[in-house]
Amino acid sequence: MSSLYMHEMEGDFAKEMDLLLFPLQEKIRLMEAELAANCTEAAAFDSPSIMVEEFKLLEINNNEHSSEALKAAKLSTVLRSQGTPSMFSQEVVGYKDEAEQLICQLTRGSKQLDIVSIVGMPGQGKTTLANKVYHDALITCHFHTRAWCCISQVYQKQAVLLEILACIEPESNLSKLDEDYLAHYLYRRLKRNRYLLVLDDIWDIRAWNCLERSFPDDANGSRILLTSRIHNLALEVKPTTKPLPLRQLTDDESWELLQKKLAERNGHPPVKSVLGLHLAKGCKGLPLTIVIIAGVLATLDEDGWEEVAEMLSSKVVCGTEQCMDILELSYIHLPKHLKPCLLYFGAFLENQEIPIWRLMRMWIAEGFVHKTEPKSLEDTAEDYIMDLIGRSLVIVSKQKSTGTVKACRIHNLLHEFCVTKAKEQKFLKLRHCYAEILNFDEPSNTHRLFVYTKGKNFEKSRLFCPLLRTLLVSAQFQEYKIQSNFHFVVRIFKRLRVLDFAKINLGSIFPGEIALLVQLTFLAVGGTMEYIPSSIANLSKLETFLLESRHHILSLPDSIWNMQTLRYLHASGSFFNLSLAEDNDDSSSDLYNLHTFSALNLILGQNVNKIIAKFPNICKLKCRFKETKESVGEWSKIVVMDFLTRLESLNLSFGIVGENPYEFHLPSNLKKLTLKEFPWSIISTTRKLPNLQVLKLVGAERGGTEIWNMEEGEFPKLKFLKLVSLRIVRWTGSGDHLPCLQKLVVEGCGKLEQLPSCLGDTLTLEKIEVRRCRPFVRSLVCEIEEEQMSWGNDNLKIHILEEIEDSSSSDSDNGRYVLL
């Protein structure tokens, strides 16, 4: 029997939607491949953060460092070849009975909104168990909506609400809305849905009180799952609840987990031995200790294992103290070049999810990354990250479509260790309250300072650190406009190399005083500015330039061409306008070192090809093309990019483009291509790209074509294909098409009636995900699944979400959705 649920959306929120649940048996058939999870405490905020004290690096012998760097490079190659499992896809050891008990509590019992909680000491696996349950097939079928957020000891209500909404509406950008609006919006999105919310690592009742009003109780069996290290907190939230106290792993479970972690690192599990069993037992049933110990053991020989075993035998305390000792051991065994990289994590918020690209750029600016030929600095920095992941010190929280790391984080206890060790080593200083900023009394020789506070508090601060090299100030989503100028920054912090004000609202005028900080190599600013002054070119050492502006278009000065050291140019939520000198196009210098440019706004016409030619060594490029009345003349309709021999990632979007077709010459070395609101004629250019692995086609409903006939030999290396909001009715292709495809995502293609037959015998296929398509597509996907099974591919995962009714239906305009 199916149940009908309706969204009550008002005003700006959305159209009403009928939520119709299919029979449970059908859902389980479609989702029988359970998503195993082994998260080690889930990801959290999106805002950069806090930091603190100076680290005196030991002199690194060049030969020794080169040897360590080569080892790291070899290790990262091994890890990449094995794949990088997401934090939500790793195998879980133990807690089977506990998981069954939680699933029963979440899916049965009272129809009223209920609270279920897991409590235990740090590192005991609370989040691991919560993730195992969160991704269980019965849970995913039972609840219409699921969302996960991490609260932590330091939290922002706005950030927590955004994290929950990001799970419900992944494509929405709500970051500029205030917390009251977000709280109301979340209530409306959850209303009349049976939902499951996980509030991970909650520390006090105040966090619950500020969120509770956003959780409606429609007496439909909704649940909230809490994890906390504080036993009484669950009783404060709901006095009648019975928290699940997490037990320690048994000796056998500990040995099993240790074997699995060592196998991930070395490619094979260790042979069962007395020493191995002794090591597992010495971890005293704490999963975090086992994971960290595995990271240490993987780098040691047998004598080293005996040393670790002796150290564990001498510890009689089980808990946080023992974990800290294990982390100290792991830190001691780190190569010298990785120690500052690890301590740098202490500068971010506890549980914060950190984008890899930003972390790498900061490491490079700090001088932590040493180039090893023939690799670039970016590739070497990625090797460092992969090494830390392989040592079980860094957790992968998000993956790219290619399977590589997109974002990462560290465990709470490791964060605490990094903060403490950074203070001991005088590596960095951290300030995150008004009193600490107002009464700043640290030594004037502080080199790295990270401040997490409100903008108005920072403006009143009286910091004096003339030797400061790094300054990061992170306020709450640019909520406060700094009124004063930058004179005090220029006067006091003349030696700054890293300046991050991305989360501070600097207003509508770019502070010209920044141009006097001539030692800068990393600059990130935020505000409402529309243009960048020409004086920016005074920063002759600048390598990374990041802007977070509320204006959609930012104008770069012509002097930008003189900044020969630029490697990374990025605008968040905006596009850069860039032009050449009108009197002489050839007078502008080429930016030979530019590695990444995101995002560039190009007017189709006279100068497009000349501008693109100015960064010949670009590796990643995001740009938007559009026409103007002036550009629709007799200019060339050919956009030439095939000479960009190092370009591997290209994102093209099209604004206002007329009927006249343009011809695009794309480089053959492209590995990732994203096209948005694109003219369908460009598809013919993409077909034969020999190295393309990822293709994302995102088109407006009004554009595109009704028939896509793939030709023989197209996309020979394509692994990931995503189609969003295309007008395709028939998608055909047989024979040797898509021979390497692993994942297919089809979203919002409401007219689709046919899928290519080659999908049935593409034996590399691992997952098909369909969202907001007609019910007929489900039968097509089921046929593909049956054919795949006949070929022996029993591991294909199928996910079909939010089906829409046929366009001919009288209710089609009401946006009816079916949730599986």
Side-chain angles (χ1 to χ4, degrees), residues 620-674:
K620 297 181 180 180
L621 176 62
K622 177 180 179 181
C623 57
R624 183 183 66 170
F625 293 101
K626 69 175 184 179
E627 286 182 343
T628 64
K629 292 181 179 180
E630 294 76 17
S631 68
V632 184
E634 297 300 323
W635 313 122
S636 171
K637 300 294 183 182
I638 301 176
V639 178
V640 180
M641 293 185 174
D642 53 2
F643 65 92
L644 299 175
T645 57
R646 296 188 180 183
L647 185 63
E648 295 188 351
S649 177
L650 178 61
N651 185 314
L652 298 178
S653 60
F654 296 81
I656 304 172
V657 178
E659 298 292 332
N660 298 324
Y662 283 82
E663 183 179 339
F664 287 83
H665 294 179
L666 302 180
S668 61
N669 46 286
L670 269 184
K671 293 183 179 179
K672 180 178 180 179
L673 177 62
T674 300

Side-chain angles (χ1 to χ4, degrees), residues 140-322:
T140 58
C141 294
H142 183 76
F143 293 97
H144 312 155
T145 299
R146 293 176 305 134
W148 182 292
C149 73
C150 186
I151 308 297
S152 288
Q153 193 170 5
V154 179
Y155 64 90
Q156 296 174 336
K157 180 180 178 181
Q158 187 178 25
V160 173
L161 292 169
L162 284 170
E163 189 176 356
I164 296 173
L165 286 165
C167 297
I168 301 172
E169 298 182 356
E171 302 298 326
S172 298
N173 183 9
L174 307 172
S175 61
K176 295 176 182 177
L177 302 177
D178 64 64
E179 63 182 39
D180 291 334
Y181 186 95
L182 290 171
H184 182 60
Y185 186 62
L186 176 60
Y187 180 89
R188 289 293 183 177
R189 287 296 283 114
L190 296 176
K191 187 70 176 171
R192 298 289 182 89
N193 280 286
R194 184 191 299 136
Y195 60 85
L196 169 64
L197 300 182
V198 178
L199 306 183
D200 185 37
D201 194 25
I202 187 167
W203 280 69
D204 57 58
I205 192 65
R206 291 174 298 175
W208 168 258
N209 291 339
C210 77
L211 296 169
E212 182 181 10
R213 288 184 295 177
S214 295
F215 307 148
D217 184 0
D218 293 311
N220 58 3
S222 293
R223 295 289 185 267
I224 293 176
L225 178 59
L226 306 179
T227 73
S228 179
R229 61 182 68 181
I230 303 171
H231 188 279
N232 292 334
L233 180 63
L235 299 177
E236 288 186 65
V237 173
K238 185 180 180 183
T240 59
T241 192
K242 186 177 180 181
L244 173 65
L246 212 53
R247 63 175 176 83
Q248 296 171 340
L249 295 180
T250 65
D251 290 346
D252 288 340
E253 290 171 339
S254 297
W255 171 238
E256 181 184 354
L257 179 57
L258 184 63
Q259 284 182 303
K260 289 182 182 296
K261 288 300 175 182
L262 287 170
E264 288 178 9
R265 174 82 174 188
N266 296 328
H268 55 83
V271 177
K272 190 172 184 179
S273 64
V274 175
L275 181 58
L277 291 170
H278 181 67
L279 281 163
K281 185 177 181 180
C283 293
K284 300 179 175 66
L286 278 179
L288 177 62
T289 302
I290 298 167
V291 169
I292 298 299
I293 281 291
V296 175
L297 296 178
T299 64
L300 301 177
D301 54 20
E302 187 172 343
D303 290 338
W305 280 40
E306 291 179 355
E307 180 185 342
V308 174
E310 290 176 7
M311 190 276 293
L312 287 175
S313 299
S314 66
K315 300 297 178 184
V316 296
V317 179
C318 178
T320 302
E321 182 178 337
Q322 184 200 27

Side-chain angles (χ1 to χ4, degrees), residues 609-621:
N609 291 331
K610 291 184 178 181
I611 291 176
I612 294 174
K614 291 295 181 180
F615 19 89
N617 296 317
I618 196 80
C619 296
K620 297 181 180 180
L621 176 62

Side-chain angles (χ1 to χ4, degrees), residues 515-530:
L516 300 177
L517 300 172
V518 294
Q519 300 298 322
L520 283 179
T521 60
F522 179 103
L523 174 61
V525 296
T528 58
M529 61 278 296
E530 299 181 40

Side-chain angles (χ1 to χ4, degrees), residues 37-162:
N38 186 24
C39 166
T40 327
E41 314 278 40
F45 305 168
D46 188 42
S47 51
S49 157
I50 41 192
M51 324 192 171
V52 175
E53 298 177 50
E54 160 86 268
F55 178 67
K56 296 179 180 177
L57 287 172
L58 298 173
E59 287 293 330
I60 298 176
N61 180 277
N62 290 333
N63 294 331
E64 180 183 3
H65 173 77
S66 299
S67 174
E68 290 173 345
L70 287 173
K71 290 178 182 177
K74 291 179 180 178
L75 172 64
S76 68
T77 302
V78 172
L79 291 174
R80 288 193 187 100
S81 67
Q82 294 174 349
T84 307
S86 168
M87 62 191 292
F88 297 119
S89 63
Q90 300 173 17
E91 191 171 355
V92 178
V93 173
Y95 301 136
K96 181 178 179 180
D97 293 341
E98 289 82 353
E100 291 177 355
Q101 177 183 336
L102 288 169
I103 291 170
C104 182
Q105 288 181 271
L106 294 171
T107 57
R108 300 179 185 177
S110 172
K111 291 293 183 182
Q112 301 299 319
L113 176 65
D114 202 3
I115 311 296
V116 179
S117 57
I118 308 170
V119 295
M121 71 176 68
Q124 201 166 2
K126 301 181 293 297
T127 308
T128 301
L129 177 57
N131 267 284
K132 178 181 175 68
V133 171
Y134 183 79
H135 288 89
D136 186 90
L138 290 174
I139 293 295
T140 58
C141 294
H142 183 76
F143 293 97
H144 312 155
T145 299
R146 293 176 305 134
W148 182 292
C149 73
C150 186
I151 308 297
S152 288
Q153 193 170 5
V154 179
Y155 64 90
Q156 296 174 336
K157 180 180 178 181
Q158 187 178 25
V160 173
L161 292 169
L162 284 170

Side-chain angles (χ1 to χ4, degrees), residues 531-537 545 555-561 577-579:
Y531 69 92
I532 308 301
S534 59
S535 60
I536 192 70
F545 188 20
S555 294
L556 288 174
D558 291 343
S559 62
I560 200 77
W561 300 111
N577 263 340
L578 187 59
S579 61

